[in-house]
Amino acid sequence: MKTQLIVACDVDTLKEARKAIDRLAPRVKIFKIGSQLFTACGPEVVRYVQRRGARVFLDLKFHDIPNTVAKAAAAATRLGVFMMTLHAGGGPEMLRAAREAAGEAAKANKIKRPLLVAVTVLTSQTCPDVQARVLALARSASGSGVDGVVASVEECALIKQSLGPEFLVVTPGIRPAGASVDDQKRIATPAQARQAGSDFIVVGRPIIAAPDPAAAARAVLKEIKA
């Protein structure tokens, strides 16, 4: 799989989201809808992305008791999202419950099951044993039947070597050369992510907040296709 771009639509209102999506679609094929925008707009923003012919990466990081997360995963599946996040720290039982519920909801609605990726360690965090921690969480997630993990570029190659090329790695903390680091700590450029084997890179502020978001997106796409 070639590295694909996901643009994080981290804005406050549906109006701002529509403006950003209209500027970037159809060049951008996947948009991340996270807790900030989903809390403000709910499912309507998911449907707007879909009406524009793009796919939704629903990044709500479900983390609760297995029954609650299973119901959330089923609801997200019925929304028709392309991919969603769970917290790897929720444990194998929670991850398995989410996968089973998503599969059942997809079958009942005759749609494709969304990809499920487990969040390991946030790219705003760091610790002396971060790679070992990420790899342990990735192994647990793989054993629980989810499709991949969210991890920084620093751990991407290690995960691929340990769990194989089919196990997906989504890498946030992507900053083009010269872009502001903001609150991220474990960052990388789009080219570094591609070289490490990332399946999906998530880019937010360097595109959304750029003077010309479409040009910024084109530059990132060019870099990961080089």
Side-chain angles (χ1 to χ4, degrees):
M1 181 185 292
K2 294 181 179 179
T3 304
Q4 298 182 61
L5 170 65
I6 301 173
V7 170
C9 203
D10 293 333
V11 294
D12 293 325
T13 66
L14 183 59
K15 182 179 179 180
E16 290 175 284
R18 285 174 173 166
K19 183 178 180 181
I21 293 161
D22 289 345
R23 281 177 169 177
L24 296 168
R27 183 177 298 277
V28 173
K29 307 295 185 183
I30 312 169
F31 290 91
K32 180 181 83 71
I33 305 300
S35 55
Q36 175 185 356
L37 187 56
F38 195 83
T39 300
C41 307
E44 177 55 30
V45 70
V46 173
R47 298 188 183 104
Y48 188 79
V49 171
Q50 292 165 339
R51 287 197 297 270
R52 292 290 294 161
R55 297 180 291 181
V56 172
F57 172 33
L58 188 64
D59 182 27
L60 299 183
K61 300 180 178 68
F62 298 134
H63 188 178
D64 212 309
I65 62 173
N67 182 64
T68 298
V69 171
K71 291 182 181 300
T77 299
R78 289 191 291 271
L79 269 178
V81 303
F82 165 66
M83 182 161 57
M84 72 178 86
T85 51
L86 316 162
H87 250 299
E93 185 182 353
M94 187 201 81
L95 296 177
R96 284 194 295 268
R99 189 186 188 286
E100 290 168 6
E104 290 169 3
K107 184 177 180 180
N109 289 273
K110 298 180 180 178
I111 57 177
K112 188 174 182 180
R113 178 180 66 79
L115 297 172
L116 274 66
V117 292
V119 176
T120 56
V121 177
L122 299 177
T123 50
S124 61
Q125 298 176 316
T126 188
C127 60
D129 60 346
V130 65
Q131 287 196 338
R133 174 65 175 159
V134 169
L135 188 56
L137 289 169
R139 285 173 172 158
S140 175
S142 176
S144 303
V146 300
D147 302 289
V149 291
V150 180
S152 84
V153 170
E154 293 179 10
E155 299 92 38
C156 183
L158 187 64
I159 292 168
K160 290 289 187 178
Q161 289 166 9
S162 177
L163 298 171
E166 300 299 319
F167 192 67
L168 301 175
V169 179
V170 179
T171 52
I174 301 300
R175 292 291 184 270
S180 172
V181 172
D182 298 309
D183 54 353
Q184 302 284 359
K185 291 185 174 66
R186 290 159 35 243
I187 63 169
T189 66
Q192 288 170 332
R194 174 180 56 79
Q195 291 162 4
S198 174
D199 298 287
F200 299 93
I201 62 169
V202 181
V203 185
R205 284 166 284 190
I207 290 177
I208 293 293
D212 186 343
R218 284 195 300 270
V220 172
L221 287 167
K222 182 179 180 181
E223 191 170 341
I224 61 176
K225 291 178 181 177

